[in-house]
Amino acid sequence: MTRSRLLNHILAFTLIGVLLLGRLEASPLSVFPVSTFTPTAALMLTLTPSVVPTLTPIEDANPTPVVVPTEKSTLPPTWTPMPTHTPSPTPDEPTIPACPGLPAPQLIIGAYGRVRPTGQGNRLRAQPSTSGEQIGTIPSGRLFFVLEGPECADGVTWWRVRFNELEGWTAESVSSSYYAEPVSGGRMELDLSGLDIDSNDTNDTHYGAYQPFQRGHMFWLEPIDDMWVLYITGRGRGTWEVYRDLFNEGDTETDPSLRPPTGLQQPRRGFGRIWRDNDPVRGGLGWATQSEQGFTIRYQYDPTSRTHTIYSPSGTRFNLSDDGTWSS
């Protein structure tokens, strides 16, 4: 091939290249379609604020797999169900077992009891045994305070009690018969230290309060801060108990859920606290018939008959005996 012919070939190829390059520059971009990615609903995961997981760096070499919740889940993915705690039912007060072959005990430590009015007197002994030294007698119908017990000996259910100034053991039951019985609801011993009672007759005045009820009366004596609850069991007579005044300023004065019948009232404050907290008191007294009244109480004490005498605001006289009975 001659030099001139070689040059002609080079020029021809160069011209062809230039023409092709110009055609490419002039072509529209549509000849090179671009794929556009459009996500579908199946590929999308929408997390609401209640199910967005909190990502915490995991240092464990074998981390627990994270479970992604479904759209219906309302729990974060790291939630672990906690065991449900069901409070145990409050156990009933323990039942005192009966002595072999004897009726179930009824007396309560820290409460009043009395010798049954239909029986004879109860012996008070130094030990819980029929061979124990007799240190006194509790007449029928008389009140005593239960200190300890019961003990089983010689076919008798024994309780240690306080009667007047004496402390000893007395029988509650023998065979199938009860010799003593609880007094409804009383839970404390009569404390008269604030009334300055001695061996002489007492005739004083003390500030207090009074409220009449359908079936009884309530007195409060400031010097001893006690409630004296009187139940009517017959015309002008009944039984009585003593309760400590537990009301403190700021305590709930009444229970709105207890609605008295027309013309009657729910007692308030200290009287109301005792009345609401003790079913025997509420059931025994019924509703209040008038409002509580504060006044100066005339108080007398006769050491011979061991009788307390108090007067209501209207002047009604109440004679309260240490055997748990009263008359007017």
Side-chain angles (χ1 to χ4, degrees):
M1 182 181 295
T2 61
R3 181 185 298 266
S4 60
R5 190 173 180 178
L6 179 59
L7 290 174
N8 287 337
H9 281 292
I10 292 173
L11 289 174
F13 282 114
T14 300
L15 180 59
I16 292 171
V18 171
L19 290 175
L20 290 174
L21 181 59
R23 184 175 180 83
L24 288 174
E25 291 293 337
S27 300
L29 294 176
S30 58
V31 297
F32 298 96
V34 178
S35 299
T36 303
F37 174 74
T38 303
T40 63
L43 297 176
M44 297 179 67
L45 176 63
T46 303
L47 296 177
T48 62
S50 62
V51 297
V52 175
T54 300
L55 298 179
T56 304
I58 300 175
E59 298 180 359
D60 192 346
N62 298 299
T64 301
V66 177
V67 179
V68 178
T70 63
E71 292 183 3
K72 293 183 180 181
S73 175
T74 59
L75 301 173
T78 55
W79 179 83
T80 301
M82 298 295 293
T84 302
H85 173 68
T86 303
S88 301
T90 302
D92 295 331
E93 294 184 0
T95 301
I96 299 176
C99 294
L102 299 179
Q106 294 181 327
L107 297 177
I108 302 172
I109 296 175
Y112 283 117
R114 69 174 178 177
V115 177
R116 300 191 70 176
T118 55
Q120 300 177 358
N122 257 29
R123 293 183 178 89
L124 193 64
R125 298 185 179 275
Q127 298 85 27
S129 169
T130 55
S131 60
E133 177 189 0
Q134 182 176 340
I135 59 176
T137 300
I138 307 175
S140 62
R142 295 295 294 272
L143 206 68
F144 56 80
F145 189 74
V146 183
L147 301 172
E148 180 185 347
E151 293 288 339
C152 304
D154 303 328
V156 179
T157 302
W158 299 91
W159 294 84
R160 191 169 72 87
V161 305
R162 179 184 296 126
F163 173 68
N164 295 338
E165 294 84 10
L166 298 176
E167 292 186 7
W169 295 85
T170 196
E172 178 189 16
S173 61
V174 175
S175 183
S176 60
S177 301
Y178 285 103
Y179 287 175
E181 60 189 7
V183 175
S184 60
R187 286 298 182 271
M188 64 161 296
E189 192 172 14
L190 184 62
D191 178 8
L192 302 175
S193 58
L195 299 180
D196 193 26
I197 292 176
D198 52 30
S199 60
N200 301 315
D201 291 350
T202 301
N203 192 345
D204 293 320
T205 57
H206 303 287
Y207 183 73
Y210 167 78
Q211 189 167 22
F213 289 78
Q214 291 175 295
R215 298 182 294 275
H217 313 266
M218 289 186 76
F219 286 88
W220 170 69
L221 284 76
E222 183 183 44
I224 53 177
D225 200 24
D226 280 349
M227 307 287 185
W228 292 9
V229 180
L230 284 64
Y231 305 100
I232 298 174
T233 60
R235 185 177 180 84
R237 60 187 174 85
T239 59
W240 66 292
E241 300 170 350
V242 182
Y243 291 85
R244 175 67 63 190
D245 181 10
L246 301 177
F247 180 83
N248 297 308
E249 290 298 330
D251 290 349
T252 301
E253 295 192 5
T254 60
D255 184 348
S257 67
L258 299 176
R259 298 183 180 180
T262 303
L264 300 176
Q265 302 179 21
Q266 177 184 167
R268 306 174 63 87
R269 296 174 63 82
F271 285 164
R273 172 72 183 271
I274 300 299
W275 185 83
R276 292 193 306 272
D277 289 357
N278 297 273
D279 290 340
V281 174
R282 187 166 65 251
L285 292 177
W287 297 94
T289 57
Q290 298 177 18
S291 299
E292 175 184 334
Q293 181 177 349
F295 73 113
T296 300
I297 298 177
R298 290 174 55 196
Y299 172 81
Q300 298 171 346
Y301 179 70
D302 181 358
T304 302
S305 63
R306 301 184 68 87
T307 299
H308 316 269
T309 300
I310 54 179
Y311 295 82
S312 71
S314 64
T316 301
R317 174 174 172 163
F318 296 90
N319 301 310
L320 288 71
S321 173
D322 280 352
D323 66 3
T325 62
W326 66 268
S327 62
S328 63

